[in-house]
Structure formats: structure tokens, C-alpha cells
Amino acid sequence: LEDAVSGVAVVETARRLGMTGQLTAKSVFDAARRGDPAAVEAVRLEGERIAHTVAAAAAVLDPDLVVLGGGVGHSVDLLLRPVREHLRTLTPLRPKLAPSRLGEDAVLLGAVATALGTARDLVFERRSGAP
């Protein structure tokens, strides 16, 4: 999933479409905001890939809300419309889409929260004398 729906994927798509130079996901999204045709198409294709991902998750999990996080979440102004439009063609299930408030650190913060939860469980198991 990370290979298909990520900042790296946006850059690779932009390169395939003819963009050159020192590219980052941010520079591709910025170029799309300025109307660069290759960047606009790369962002549109990223929106389609995200829509396929959301459709697959919706079919299995039926979530009410899907949060777009990481670097892609910062470009939700460009991605929401293509994701929603393509999602309509893929599935009748349409969860609400929203950008993450955690920004690019969402994965890191989730890992820290998981580690803290595990550590807390281990500490309380030892205190209670559980094996």
C-alpha cells in the first residue's frame, strides 16, 4: 500500500509524466496547485489510487470515517475531489473522508502510543503478579 499510495508514488508518477529536477511530493503538489499539467495528472492518479484503497477498506470494514494522514493528508485540498469522484464509480459505500490533524507524524505518534500502551500493560501485569 505504501508503494502505491504515498509521497514516493506521487513523485514516481510525476517523473513518468515528464516532470524533472529535484522532486518531492510537496513540490509535485505545489506544481499542481500552479496548474502544471504533469503534476495535476500525477495528483489525479494518486486520488484514484487512494479511492481504490478506500473502496477496498470500505468493502471489508464499512467505516464511517477514513482519515487521510501523512504527507498526503497535507494535500487534501487537491485530493478530496478526485478521491470522492472516483470512489463514486467504484462502490456504493461512501465513508466520510477527512485529513488527519496529526500531520506527517501520524505514523510515528501511532507507534509511540502503541509502545506506551504495551509498556503500561507489561508494568501492570508485573505489579498484579500475573504470569
Side-chain angles (χ1 to χ4, degrees):
L1 182 61
E2 181 67 22
D3 290 341
V5 183
S6 68
V8 172
V10 170
V11 170
E12 288 175 0
T13 301
R15 285 197 191 289
R16 272 197 327 267
L17 293 169
M19 289 186 76
T20 59
Q22 192 75 18
L23 294 180
T24 64
K26 182 181 181 326
S27 67
V28 173
F29 282 108
D30 288 345
R33 284 184 185 94
R34 292 189 305 273
D36 179 284
V40 169
E41 181 64 7
V43 170
R44 186 190 69 73
L45 290 170
E46 181 71 2
E48 282 187 19
R49 289 189 292 262
I50 292 170
H52 280 275
T53 303
V54 171
V60 175
L61 304 171
D62 193 21
D64 291 326
L65 172 68
V66 173
V67 178
L68 302 177
V72 170
H74 286 295
S75 300
V76 84
D77 60 312
L78 295 174
L79 288 169
L80 273 181
R81 192 183 81 233
V83 170
R84 285 182 178 138
E85 287 174 359
H86 199 68
L87 195 58
R88 273 194 289 268
T89 68
L90 296 172
T91 179
L93 303 172
R94 292 192 188 88
K96 181 179 176 188
L97 301 172
S100 170
R101 292 188 178 139
L102 299 177
E104 292 182 32
D105 293 333
V107 173
L108 174 63
L109 293 171
V112 169
T114 300
L116 288 172
T118 300
R120 187 179 12 243
D121 291 345
L122 290 172
V123 167
F124 286 119
E125 281 178 15
R126 287 187 184 142
R127 283 190 171 178
S128 69

